[in-house]
Amino acid sequence: MFKVAIVTLSDKGYIGEREDITGKKLKEYIEESNEYKVVHYNLLKDDKDMLKEELINICDNNIADLVLTNGGTGFSKRDTTPEATKEVLEREIPGISEYMRLKSSEITKKAILSRGVSGIRNNSIIINLPGSPKGAIENLGFVLDVLPHGIEILKGEATECATTTKNSI
C-alpha cells in the first residue's frame, strides 16, 4: 500500500474562513483504491516558504510515497505552489502535469491556465493539483493508475520497465 500526503494551500482555509472540501474529497477518492492510504494531511496558507518546509519534511522523512498539493496553481499573486515545489524537486516529471492539463482541457479550456508541476524528491512523487474539488479529482483520476509503477521504480521495487520476448527483438 502506498502512503499519500495531502497538502492544501488556502489563505482562507488556514484562518478558518473556508472548509477544505478539496482535501477531504481527495482523501475519499484516494482511499477508494486499495493501493493508497492517506497518512498525512496539512492545511497551509499560501506561503512559499511554509510549503517548501512541508514538502521537504514529508519527502526527506519518508512520510509519504505520493505528495498531493492542491491550490496555489493559478495566476493570483499569492499562488506560489509551483515555484515552491520546483525549488525542492530533485527531478521534474513534466509528463504528469502535461497529461493532466491535456486531458483536463478536453473538459474545460481554462485548464491550460494551470501552472502545476510534478516531480521527484528522494523517494516521493510530488504532484500539484488544482484547488477546486472537481478539478483536483479529475486531474488525479487521469494519472492515479500509472503512479504505482513510478513509485515502485523510485523505491527500487520494480524489476523491469518493459518486457521483451524473443519475437519482439
Side-chain angles (χ1 to χ4, degrees):
M1 181 155 302
F2 300 109
K3 301 177 294 181
V4 179
I6 297 172
V7 181
T8 298
L9 288 300
S10 169
D11 286 335
K12 289 183 179 179
Y14 186 76
I15 60 174
E17 291 182 2
R18 177 184 292 159
E19 182 183 3
D20 178 20
I21 296 169
T22 304
K24 289 178 183 178
K25 295 283 186 188
L26 281 169
K27 183 178 189 298
E28 291 169 8
Y29 181 76
I30 289 161
E31 291 193 340
E32 286 175 4
S33 163
N34 292 330
E35 292 187 272
Y36 299 95
K37 176 161 181 54
V38 176
V39 296
H40 181 85
Y41 166 81
N42 203 354
L43 172 61
L44 304 175
K45 61 183 174 179
D46 288 297
D47 181 275
K48 186 177 174 183
D49 291 329
M50 282 180 75
L51 178 56
K52 285 172 51 177
E53 185 177 311
E54 178 75 353
L55 294 174
I56 290 168
N57 175 54
I58 293 168
C59 298
D60 291 5
N61 291 306
N62 197 32
I63 293 170
D65 305 307
L66 176 62
V67 183
L68 303 172
T69 70
N70 67 91
T73 61
F75 285 20
S76 165
K77 300 283 187 218
R78 304 260 317 140
D79 289 339
T80 59
T81 299
E83 288 74 25
T85 303
K86 283 181 180 181
E87 288 184 23
V88 303
L89 291 178
E90 295 167 344
R91 296 178 285 162
E92 284 194 47
I93 313 171
I96 290 175
S97 298
E98 291 167 1
Y99 187 72
M100 289 190 307
R101 271 188 286 276
L102 174 69
K103 295 302 287 179
S104 191
S105 71
E106 294 171 2
I107 298 166
T108 174
K109 286 179 106 175
K110 291 180 183 176
I112 65 171
L113 300 177
S114 173
R115 300 180 318 104
V117 299
S118 302
I120 297 166
R121 181 176 179 95
N122 288 331
N123 291 326
S124 301
I125 295 175
I126 302 171
I127 300 176
N128 297 158
L129 297 169
S132 77
K134 182 179 183 294
I137 297 299
E138 283 176 355
N139 277 266
L140 183 58
F142 299 138
V143 299
L144 193 61
D145 63 332
V146 299
L147 296 177
H149 184 64
I151 295 167
E152 289 169 347
I153 292 169
L154 274 178
K155 294 170 86 174
E157 296 171 0
T159 55
E160 292 185 32
C161 290
T163 58
T164 58
T165 62
K166 218 188 319 184
N167 296 331
S168 66
I169 299 176

